[in-house]
Amino acid sequence: RVNKAAQTLSFAGTPQATVGRTATIGVSATSWLQVTVTSLTPAVCTVTDSWQLTAVAAGTCTLTGTQAGDAGYLAAPPPTTS
């Protein structure tokens, strides 16, 4: 029996953006699998598939990352950053 390996996700700091501008989000998985980033505060910031954050209003932008795993890795616990 072969068990799946655990993985972790981490953000490379919190991107700073000005309303109407974009910033690149730095995030990685120890598995090197693709990470999905989602805004938990879409009234303040949005995220595109290419990890671009757009500030849409002043306030605190909170992001979370997810990675579902695959045949070799378990799903990663979702981190958040603000």
Side-chain angles (χ1 to χ4, degrees):
R1 178 176 177 187
V2 177
N3 294 321
K4 291 184 178 186
Q7 64 171 321
T8 58
L9 307 180
S10 58
F11 285 97
T14 302
Q16 300 296 313
T18 303
V19 174
R21 305 244 178 166
T22 62
T24 301
I25 301 163
V27 63
S28 62
T30 55
S31 64
W32 296 98
L33 296 172
Q34 180 72 28
V35 177
T36 300
V37 178
T38 306
S39 172
L40 298 178
T41 52
V44 176
C45 62
T46 59
V47 178
T48 66
D49 291 340
S50 58
W51 297 350
Q52 290 295 307
L53 175 143
T54 300
V56 295
T60 300
C61 174
T62 302
L63 306 173
T64 189
T66 57
Q67 205 318 300
D70 66 3
Y73 287 92
L74 296 167
T80 59
T81 189
S82 295

